[in-house]
Amino acid sequence: MTDTAPPKLGLPQQSEFKVPTLESSTNMDNPNGSPALQKARDSGFAGPIGENVKNQSAKTSSEFQNLANSRTSPNKSAASGQPLTHYHSFFYNLLSWENPRATSISFLTTVLFIFAARYLPALRWTFKVLYITLGSTAALELGGKMIFSQGLATSFRPKKYYTVPREALEASLEDVEQLINFFVIEFQRILFAEKPSHTITAFAASLISYWLIKFTPMWGLSLITVSLLYLSPLVYISNKEFIDHHLENATNVVNAQAIQVKDLAGHHTSRAMETTKAYAGDYATKAQGYIGSARGSTSPSGTKSGAMSGAKSGPGDAPVYQSSDFPHAPKQEPVDGVMSHQEQYEKSPFGGQAEAAAS
């Protein structure tokens, strides 16, 4: 027998199947290692979108930090000289939209809270969570004592119960005090018209709320109030020049009308005073005349002295007569042939005069 090589079966010398290598297994274990996914990750998270998200997050955090730092007592004080609270600066910074992202988030959070209080049974859920928690704790405790002769709830009990630190409690109480004083001071400033524009605005808001509360639910009135508090400053800031121009024109018109009314009132007041003064003088003169007439009728000596002094009556007084106003009585017999009194007066030896006094 001759040793001959076995015939070749025509199998390929190199297998077409690729055996998994360490590199390929690593790529399978870590899909992020593929170039396509790495490119997508770079373009999505490390690209423009990711940078924008990071920038916006950083700006939002910075604005919230600025809002928290604004809680400082302002330099100005109230009209009474009392210092204002740090919540005056905080709410001014919040509602003036100096930090728009923080203000927008707080506005949306407040609106969502109002809707949640309206449509979500938060109180029922609170009691539900409470009774489930307490029931589970009691069941675990009793079951553990029955099965393991040891309660399971007590095994999780801490060695020392949590207590509120005194520093944190004092800081919280001080913060609550400042918040309450903020509302108390602002109410008094509005009530005593420290700024008339604020008092007028509060009056209009109270009047509108009085009519709205009749047919608007409390949550709707709260939503309107919050929207006005947040959006009114934004509208004013966005259209400041336009609003200031019209407010200045309205102020000028009101001042002009006030001056005109003041002048007209002064004119009518002066005329009324002059008329009153004239009537007072007239009545005083009449009263003096009546008093003089009464004295003259009751006292002969007073009448004689008044006649000798030649007092004259004023307008509206009772007439005061003197002896010279009356004709003298004749002192002789009538002359024959003379019929009239005037002729007899002329023909008389005394000329109608009284006889001369005896020396």
Side-chain angles (χ1 to χ4, degrees):
M1 293 180 64
T2 58
D3 295 332
T4 59
K8 295 181 180 181
L9 300 177
L11 294 177
Q13 298 295 328
Q14 184 177 5
S15 175
E16 296 179 359
F17 299 99
K18 295 182 178 180
V19 179
T21 60
L22 181 61
E23 181 180 358
S24 61
S25 62
T26 304
N27 292 336
M28 291 176 65
D29 295 337
N30 185 15
N32 295 332
S34 69
L37 293 178
Q38 185 67 27
K39 183 178 180 181
R41 185 186 64 179
D42 294 341
S43 61
F45 297 99
I49 297 177
E51 291 295 331
N52 190 18
V53 171
K54 290 181 181 179
N55 293 335
Q56 294 299 327
S57 300
K59 290 180 180 179
T60 304
S61 301
S62 177
E63 289 187 4
F64 273 107
Q65 187 64 33
N66 293 335
L67 187 62
N69 294 334
S70 65
R71 295 172 55 183
T72 56
S73 299
N75 297 327
K76 61 180 182 179
S77 58
S80 60
Q82 293 174 285
L84 302 178
T85 64
H86 61 254
Y87 274 103
H88 285 83
S89 302
F90 175 78
F91 283 115
Y92 177 82
N93 191 289
L94 177 67
L95 298 178
S96 62
W97 292 82
E98 294 183 2
N99 301 296
R101 294 173 180 81
T103 304
S104 301
I105 292 174
S106 64
F107 173 58
L108 293 177
T109 303
T110 307
V111 171
L112 291 176
F113 177 79
I114 293 174
F115 279 107
R118 169 63 181 86
Y119 292 105
L120 299 179
L123 189 60
R124 287 186 58 200
W125 288 357
T126 302
F127 284 113
K128 185 177 181 179
V129 171
L130 187 60
Y131 84 74
I132 290 175
T133 304
L134 295 177
S136 302
T137 303
L140 289 174
E141 181 67 15
L142 295 177
K145 286 185 177 181
M146 292 175 60
I147 298 173
F148 304 103
S149 300
Q150 183 182 1
L152 296 178
T154 55
S155 61
F156 293 101
R157 183 173 58 196
K159 295 182 180 180
K160 185 178 180 181
Y161 290 117
Y162 175 77
T163 57
V164 179
R166 182 177 180 180
E167 294 78 10
L169 188 60
E170 290 179 352
S172 301
L173 291 177
E174 183 180 0
D175 201 55
V176 172
E177 177 192 2
Q178 292 286 322
L179 182 61
I180 294 174
N181 286 332
F182 164 76
F183 289 106
V184 172
I185 292 174
E186 283 303 306
F187 176 76
Q188 293 179 90
R189 294 176 71 187
I190 292 173
L191 179 62
F192 297 106
E194 183 174 325
K195 291 185 178 181
S197 59
H198 293 180
T199 304
I200 294 173
T201 304
F203 159 73
S206 302
L207 181 62
I208 294 173
S209 300
Y210 170 76
W211 292 105
L212 285 178
I213 198 64
K214 294 182 177 181
F215 53 86
T216 305
M218 184 59 66
W219 71 271
L221 193 61
S222 302
L223 182 62
I224 294 173
T225 303
V226 170
S227 300
L228 289 177
L229 285 175
Y230 276 92
L231 298 181
S232 296
L234 180 61
V235 173
Y236 174 74
I237 293 172
S238 302
N239 306 277
K240 189 175 186 303
E241 296 181 359
F242 176 79
I243 295 175
D244 287 344
H245 175 70
H246 284 280
L247 286 177
E248 184 179 0
N249 291 339
T251 303
N252 294 335
V253 171
V254 171
N255 291 336
Q257 294 295 327
I259 293 174
Q260 185 177 0
V261 171
K262 183 179 179 181
D263 295 341
L264 187 62
H267 175 68
H268 285 290
T269 302
S270 61
R271 289 189 60 184
M273 291 180 64
E274 292 176 359
T275 304
T276 304
K277 189 175 181 180
Y279 277 115
D282 191 12
Y283 288 135
T285 304
K286 289 182 179 181
Q288 291 177 0
Y290 291 145
I291 294 172
S293 300
R295 288 180 179 177
S297 61
T298 56
S299 176
S301 60
T303 305
K304 183 176 180 181
S305 61
M308 295 300 293
S309 61
K312 295 183 180 181
S313 61
D317 294 342
V320 179
Y321 298 103
Q322 300 179 3
S323 59
S324 60
D325 295 334
F326 300 95
H328 298 283
K331 303 296 182 178
Q332 72 279 349
E333 295 294 331
V335 181
D336 296 337
V338 179
M339 301 300 297
S340 64
H341 294 288
Q342 183 68 24
E343 290 178 355
Q344 290 182 7
Y345 175 75
E346 292 176 355
K347 297 292 185 180
S348 65
F350 302 102
Q353 299 295 328
E355 295 181 356
S359 57

